[in-house]
Amino acid sequence: MASWNSVPLKITYEVFGWISFVSWSVSFYPQVILNFRRKRVIGLNFDFVILNLTKHSSYMIYNICLFFSPVIQKQYFEKYGSGQMIPVAANDVAFSIHAVLLTAITLFQIAIYERGSQKISKTAVGIVSAVWLAAAVCFFVALPHHSWLWLINIFNSIQVFMTLIKYIPQAVMNFRLKSTDGFSIGNILLDFLGGCTSYGQMISQSIDQNSWVNFYGNIGKTLLSLVSIFFDLLFMCQHYLLYPNKKVVISCNLNKEGADPLLKSFDHPESENV
């Protein structure tokens, strides 16, 4: 296993890594706190949350296995060369475990707080079911030959796929409601900082090793940072430029059958977003 050539770059790598860990970890709390304060989850897209849970679960499996398993590390060195460094740091493991826990808490809030007419779509349930079924099939394919590196790369690919699609339901919902009320902008700002510093961490390691294997050896982390940054910029544009000071409220009028309240959007001078 390779060692660091430059102490300053090693320190930069560690600093960027823990900044991204803190930023990404803390980014889950504004939404949880907002839900708790409002005692409702209207404005938060439920598909986003369930896709996010699948994404972070698969990313956790990848990070834990590659970081702790000598067998998988050996397979990694055989594929990419013994002179390379493992592309998973301790902060990656800590972040992914924390992310699964906080996303599960958000999903629990969806179950217990007022949600109006919102619900998880059949499309999202179908995607999540298909993904975990495919992962189970891959496990049994990898089992006979102990192809564990291939298997965890499947989980890494899953998290990349989920990252690509998980933001779309929330972005579309904001567009339809012409509001970002109920979706915490604090989450987005911290996520943006985490994405930038995670990318900086990978760059510092690549410069030190004079090799860009770090990027395609852990394509999941690379795409995670880039896709997160892109959608964070989109959400910031929606919140600050397109739909500022707009709030989603529940209509007090129910139809004769007692259906769930409808969602409406109107201009409001104060936003509840954290």
Side-chain angles (χ1 to χ4, degrees):
M1 181 175 177
S3 58
W4 286 91
N5 299 311
S6 168
V7 174
L9 283 173
K10 180 180 180 181
I11 294 174
T12 301
Y13 174 87
E14 295 291 344
V15 170
F16 275 153
W18 286 106
I19 290 177
S20 66
F21 163 69
V22 172
S23 300
W24 272 339
S25 297
V26 175
S27 72
F28 289 91
Y29 289 93
Q31 186 67 58
V32 171
I33 294 171
L34 180 63
N35 295 342
F36 176 77
R37 287 172 51 192
R38 300 166 78 230
K39 295 297 186 292
R40 63 180 186 271
V41 289
I42 296 170
L44 172 63
N45 190 277
F46 303 163
D47 289 358
F48 168 77
V49 178
I50 193 172
L51 294 175
N52 207 24
L53 182 61
T54 299
K55 178 262 179 191
H56 287 303
S57 297
S58 57
Y59 190 46
M60 179 182 68
I61 292 171
Y62 172 83
N63 284 332
I64 290 177
C65 291
L66 186 53
F67 190 77
F68 289 108
S69 173
V71 174
I72 296 178
Q73 290 178 6
K74 180 181 178 182
Q75 293 178 2
Y76 181 88
F77 293 140
E78 288 174 351
K79 181 175 182 179
Y80 295 106
S82 57
Q84 301 300 325
M85 300 179 72
I86 291 295
V88 174
N91 63 274
D92 296 318
V93 177
F95 162 73
S96 56
I97 294 174
H98 180 269
V100 170
L101 292 175
L102 266 294
T103 307
I105 290 174
T106 304
L107 195 60
F108 178 71
Q109 290 181 318
I110 289 174
I112 64 174
Y113 289 152
E114 181 183 359
R115 54 186 179 273
S117 59
Q118 293 179 218
K119 59 183 180 180
I120 298 174
S121 71
K122 293 181 180 178
T123 300
V125 173
I127 291 174
V128 169
S129 300
V131 162
W132 287 112
L133 178 61
V137 171
C138 289
F139 171 79
F140 288 105
V141 171
L143 188 59
H145 301 288
H146 296 171
S147 304
W148 305 127
L149 179 62
W150 173 82
L151 179 61
I152 67 166
N153 280 330
I154 293 296
F155 281 101
N156 202 17
S157 299
I158 289 173
Q159 77 94 7
V160 171
F161 170 69
M162 302 308 289
T163 299
L164 290 173
I165 67 172
K166 72 170 187 174
Y167 295 102
I168 296 175
Q170 185 68 57
V172 171
M173 184 176 180
N174 293 345
F175 171 76
R176 288 176 176 172
L177 296 176
K178 298 297 185 289
S179 171
T180 58
D181 185 63
F183 182 59
S184 175
I185 193 62
N187 168 26
I188 298 306
L189 297 176
L190 289 166
D191 189 59
F192 180 74
L193 176 60
C196 291
T197 51
S198 176
Y199 202 64
Q201 184 187 32
M202 299 179 71
I203 290 175
S204 62
Q205 180 175 334
S206 295
I207 293 174
D208 179 83
Q209 300 296 304
N210 195 27
S211 169
W212 298 99
V213 171
N214 182 43
F215 281 85
Y216 58 81
N218 190 358
I219 190 65
K221 189 175 180 179
T222 304
L223 291 180
L224 170 64
S225 300
L226 293 178
V227 173
S228 295
I229 289 171
F230 170 78
F231 276 100
D232 288 338
L233 290 172
L234 173 61
F235 287 131
M236 284 188 273
C237 180
Q238 287 183 322
H239 183 81
Y240 292 112
L241 299 179
L242 299 178
Y243 320 124
N245 301 324
K246 289 190 175 181
K247 193 180 251 194
V248 175
V249 298
I250 308 172
S251 172
C252 294
N253 298 320
L254 299 179
N255 62 26
K256 335 186 245 191
E257 284 101 40
D260 288 330
L262 299 176
L263 295 178
K264 292 186 178 180
S265 174
F266 68 101
D267 291 341
H268 195 284
E270 296 179 0
S271 173
E272 289 182 334
N273 289 352
V274 175

